[in-house]
Every structure is written in structure tokens, then in C-alpha cells.
Amino acid sequence: MRQSLAVFRGLCRSGMLVRVLLAWLLFVLAEYAVWIGMLVYAYAHGGPTMAGVIAVAQLVPGIVAAPLLSTMADRWSPTLVLIGSLVAQAVS
């Protein structure tokens, strides 16, 4: 416990790491807000069935693509994988 607390204190002393952590936190919140917003919109316009269809439509591509893309991700540079995934996300 003390070691974990010491690591956390060290993190808080580094302004750059704190900014990166806050940026990541904001990204995650925005990502979840969009996902939940889409489901609420679908529920309001089509009920639980439409919300379920939208949830499946959001999740199935990742389920199908993950096994295929994970083997490629192990072979390529992590930077290239991150850039490629962000470009694919922006295009979609």
C-alpha cells in the first residue's frame, strides 16, 4: 500500500503525466457519453429493441475484427497501430 501511494505521489509531481492522465480521462468520458447518448436516442425512438440493435451494431465489428487485428498489432510498431486505429475510428 505504501509503495502504491509513493507511486501516486510521484505521478502527481509530474505535470506532464498529470496532463496526459487528465486528457485520457476526458477522452474516456467523451467516448462513453457518445455511446450512451446513441443508446438513449435509439431507446427514445424505437424502444428497447432498437437500443439493443444499436448496441449489437456497435459491438459486433469489434468482436469480429479483434482476433484478426490483434495478430497484426503484435507484429507492428505500437505507434503505427495507435495511429491506424485512430484514423480508422475517425473515418468510420
Side-chain angles (χ1 to χ4, degrees):
M1 180 73 172
R2 286 184 182 183
Q3 185 178 9
S4 296
L5 192 55
V7 170
F8 183 73
R9 284 185 190 140
L11 170 71
C12 291
R13 285 188 208 115
S14 172
M16 185 181 295
L17 287 176
V18 169
R19 285 192 300 271
V20 168
L21 184 59
L22 287 175
W24 176 76
L25 175 66
L26 291 174
F27 168 76
V28 169
L29 289 174
E31 187 176 22
Y32 283 133
V34 168
W35 203 81
I36 291 170
M38 288 176 66
L39 292 178
V40 169
Y41 181 83
Y43 185 83
H45 287 79
T49 302
M50 184 57 70
V53 167
I54 295 299
V56 168
Q58 288 177 324
L59 296 173
V60 166
I63 292 168
V64 171
L68 304 171
L69 296 177
S70 65
T71 58
M72 288 186 234
D74 287 339
R75 296 181 185 147
W76 295 343
S77 155
T79 304
L80 289 176
V81 171
L82 178 61
I83 290 170
S85 66
L86 291 175
V87 167
Q89 192 175 27
V91 168
S92 68

